[in-house]
PDB file of all heavy atoms in Angstrom:
ATOM      1  N   VAL A 402      78.972 199.723 239.996  1.00 98.00           N
ATOM      2  CA  VAL A 402      77.740 198.899 240.036  1.00 98.00           C
ATOM      3  C   VAL A 402      76.497 199.763 239.980  1.00 98.00           C
ATOM      4  O   VAL A 402      75.535 199.496 239.223  1.00 98.00           O
ATOM      5  CB  VAL A 402      77.685 198.039 241.309  1.00 98.00           C
ATOM      6  CG1 VAL A 402      76.350 197.232 241.439  1.00 98.00           C
ATOM      7  CG2 VAL A 402      78.892 197.055 241.416  1.00 98.00           C
ATOM      8  N   MET A 403      76.532 200.865 240.696  1.00 98.00           N
ATOM      9  CA  MET A 403      75.331 201.774 240.695  1.00 98.00           C
ATOM     10  C   MET A 403      75.105 202.414 239.370  1.00 98.00           C
ATOM     11  O   MET A 403      73.999 202.812 239.036  1.00 98.00           O
ATOM     12  CB  MET A 403      75.426 202.765 241.856  1.00 98.00           C
ATOM     13  CG  MET A 403      75.357 202.077 243.180  1.00 98.00           C
ATOM     14  SD  MET A 403      75.222 203.129 244.628  1.00 98.00           S
ATOM     15  CE  MET A 403      73.634 203.925 244.401  1.00 98.00           C
ATOM     16  N   ALA A 404      76.185 202.598 238.602  1.00 98.00           N
ATOM     17  CA  ALA A 404      76.038 203.227 237.282  1.00 98.00           C
ATOM     18  C   ALA A 404      75.850 202.229 236.178  1.00 98.00           C
ATOM     19  O   ALA A 404      75.801 202.546 234.989  1.00 98.00           O
ATOM     20  CB  ALA A 404      77.279 204.090 237.006  1.00 98.00           C
ATOM     21  N   GLY A 405      75.824 200.903 236.531  1.00 98.00           N
ATOM     22  CA  GLY A 405      75.637 199.845 235.554  1.00 98.00           C
ATOM     23  C   GLY A 405      76.910 199.592 234.753  1.00 98.00           C
ATOM     24  O   GLY A 405      76.833 199.063 233.603  1.00 98.00           O
ATOM     25  N   GLU A 406      78.041 199.979 235.231  1.00 98.00           N
ATOM     26  CA  GLU A 406      79.308 199.797 234.501  1.00 98.00           C
ATOM     27  C   GLU A 406      79.958 198.538 235.002  1.00 98.00           C
ATOM     28  O   GLU A 406      79.775 198.093 236.161  1.00 98.00           O
ATOM     29  CB  GLU A 406      80.230 200.951 234.890  1.00 98.00           C
ATOM     30  CG  GLU A 406      80.560 201.901 233.781  1.00 98.00           C
ATOM     31  CD  GLU A 406      81.500 202.962 234.311  1.00 98.00           C
ATOM     32  OE1 GLU A 406      81.201 203.611 235.322  1.00 98.00           O
ATOM     33  OE2 GLU A 406      82.568 203.172 233.691  1.00 98.00           O
ATOM     34  N   THR A 407      80.838 197.926 234.179  1.00 98.00           N
ATOM     35  CA  THR A 407      81.631 196.782 234.663  1.00 98.00           C
ATOM     36  C   THR A 407      82.828 197.294 235.399  1.00 98.00           C
ATOM     37  O   THR A 407      83.278 198.473 235.193  1.00 98.00           O
ATOM     38  CB  THR A 407      82.114 195.880 233.492  1.00 98.00           C
ATOM     39  OG1 THR A 407      83.042 196.645 232.760  1.00 98.00           O
ATOM     40  CG2 THR A 407      80.955 195.375 232.652  1.00 98.00           C
ATOM     41  N   LEU A 408      83.421 196.488 236.264  1.00 98.00           N
ATOM     42  CA  LEU A 408      84.607 196.927 237.010  1.00 98.00           C
ATOM     43  C   LEU A 408      85.757 197.187 236.015  1.00 98.00           C
ATOM     44  O   LEU A 408      86.570 198.092 236.203  1.00 98.00           O
ATOM     45  CB  LEU A 408      85.000 195.945 238.068  1.00 98.00           C
ATOM     46  CG  LEU A 408      84.021 195.702 239.210  1.00 98.00           C
ATOM     47  CD1 LEU A 408      84.710 194.925 240.336  1.00 98.00           C
ATOM     48  CD2 LEU A 408      83.438 197.002 239.754  1.00 98.00           C
ATOM     49  N   THR A 409      85.867 196.322 235.005  1.00 98.00           N
ATOM     50  CA  THR A 409      86.929 196.479 234.017  1.00 98.00           C
ATOM     51  C   THR A 409      86.832 197.848 233.325  1.00 98.00           C
ATOM     52  O   THR A 409      87.834 198.548 233.180  1.00 98.00           O
ATOM     53  CB  THR A 409      86.837 195.347 232.949  1.00 98.00           C
ATOM     54  OG1 THR A 409      86.424 194.160 233.620  1.00 98.00           O
ATOM     55  CG2 THR A 409      88.134 195.157 232.250  1.00 98.00           C
ATOM     56  N   GLU A 410      85.648 198.228 232.973  1.00 98.00           N
ATOM     57  CA  GLU A 410      85.434 199.561 232.372  1.00 98.00           C
ATOM     58  C   GLU A 410      85.847 200.672 233.341  1.00 98.00           C
ATOM     59  O   GLU A 410      86.668 201.531 233.010  1.00 98.00           O
ATOM     60  CB  GLU A 410      83.924 199.788 232.110  1.00 98.00           C
ATOM     61  CG  GLU A 410      83.344 199.561 230.718  1.00 98.00           C
ATOM     62  CD  GLU A 410      84.221 200.101 229.676  1.00 98.00           C
ATOM     63  OE1 GLU A 410      84.377 201.318 229.506  1.00 98.00           O
ATOM     64  OE2 GLU A 410      84.802 199.258 228.901  1.00 98.00           O
ATOM     65  N   LYS A 411      85.367 200.539 234.566  1.00 98.00           N
ATOM     66  CA  LYS A 411      85.615 201.578 235.559  1.00 98.00           C
ATOM     67  C   LYS A 411      87.131 201.706 235.905  1.00 98.00           C
ATOM     68  O   LYS A 411      87.650 202.733 236.089  1.00 98.00           O
ATOM     69  CB  LYS A 411      84.859 201.188 236.834  1.00 98.00           C
ATOM     70  CG  LYS A 411      84.917 202.219 237.941  1.00 98.00           C
ATOM     71  CD  LYS A 411      83.926 203.348 237.829  1.00 98.00           C
ATOM     72  CE  LYS A 411      83.970 204.302 238.968  1.00 98.00           C
ATOM     73  NZ  LYS A 411      83.159 205.487 238.668  1.00 98.00           N
ATOM     74  N   ALA A 412      87.823 200.562 235.897  1.00 98.00           N
ATOM     75  CA  ALA A 412      89.241 200.477 236.224  1.00 98.00           C
ATOM     76  C   ALA A 412      90.070 201.229 235.207  1.00 98.00           C
ATOM     77  O   ALA A 412      91.183 201.691 235.511  1.00 98.00           O
ATOM     78  CB  ALA A 412      89.675 199.059 236.342  1.00 98.00           C
ATOM     79  N   LYS A 413      89.570 201.404 233.975  1.00 98.00           N
ATOM     80  CA  LYS A 413      90.334 202.071 232.972  1.00 98.00           C
ATOM     81  C   LYS A 413      90.612 203.521 233.358  1.00 98.00           C
ATOM     82  O   LYS A 413      91.636 204.085 233.015  1.00 98.00           O
ATOM     83  CB  LYS A 413      89.608 202.051 231.631  1.00 98.00           C
ATOM     84  CG  LYS A 413      89.645 200.691 230.936  1.00 98.00           C
ATOM     85  CD  LYS A 413      88.983 200.752 229.574  1.00 98.00           C
ATOM     86  CE  LYS A 413      88.886 199.317 229.061  1.00 98.00           C
ATOM     87  NZ  LYS A 413      87.763 199.171 228.126  1.00 98.00           N
ATOM     88  N   LYS A 414      89.663 204.128 234.108  1.00 97.00           N
ATOM     89  CA  LYS A 414      89.860 205.559 234.469  1.00 97.00           C
ATOM     90  C   LYS A 414      90.191 205.683 235.965  1.00 97.00           C
ATOM     91  O   LYS A 414      90.361 206.763 236.442  1.00 97.00           O
ATOM     92  CB  LYS A 414      88.569 206.290 234.259  1.00 97.00           C
ATOM     93  CG  LYS A 414      88.102 206.374 232.796  1.00 97.00           C
ATOM     94  CD  LYS A 414      86.602 206.596 232.686  1.00 97.00           C
ATOM     95  CE  LYS A 414      85.877 205.297 232.888  1.00 97.00           C
ATOM     96  NZ  LYS A 414      84.424 205.335 233.077  1.00 97.00           N
ATOM     97  N   ASN A 415      90.296 204.579 236.693  1.00 98.00           N
ATOM     98  CA  ASN A 415      90.524 204.638 238.141  1.00 98.00           C
ATOM     99  C   ASN A 415      91.652 203.725 238.573  1.00 98.00           C
ATOM    100  O   ASN A 415      91.479 202.513 238.670  1.00 98.00           O
ATOM    101  CB  ASN A 415      89.224 204.256 238.868  1.00 98.00           C
ATOM    102  CG  ASN A 415      88.143 205.349 238.636  1.00 98.00           C
ATOM    103  OD1 ASN A 415      88.109 206.363 239.341  1.00 98.00           O
ATOM    104  ND2 ASN A 415      87.305 205.025 237.647  1.00 98.00           N
ATOM    105  N   ILE A 416      92.790 204.339 238.804  1.00 98.00           N
ATOM    106  CA  ILE A 416      94.019 203.549 239.056  1.00 98.00           C
ATOM    107  C   ILE A 416      93.843 202.664 240.333  1.00 98.00           C
ATOM    108  O   ILE A 416      94.362 201.570 240.362  1.00 98.00           O
ATOM    109  CB  ILE A 416      95.213 204.495 239.165  1.00 98.00           C
ATOM    110  CG1 ILE A 416      96.522 203.704 239.373  1.00 98.00           C
ATOM    111  CG2 ILE A 416      95.085 205.575 240.218  1.00 98.00           C
ATOM    112  CD1 ILE A 416      96.939 202.860 238.174  1.00 98.00           C
TER     113      ILE A 416
END
Side-chain angles (χ1 to χ4, degrees):
V402 176
M403 292 187 67
E406 247 181 308
T407 65
L408 295 194
T409 324
E410 261 319 292
K411 184 82 176 172
K413 285 184 189 153
K414 298 154 279 166
N415 293 275
I416 182 69

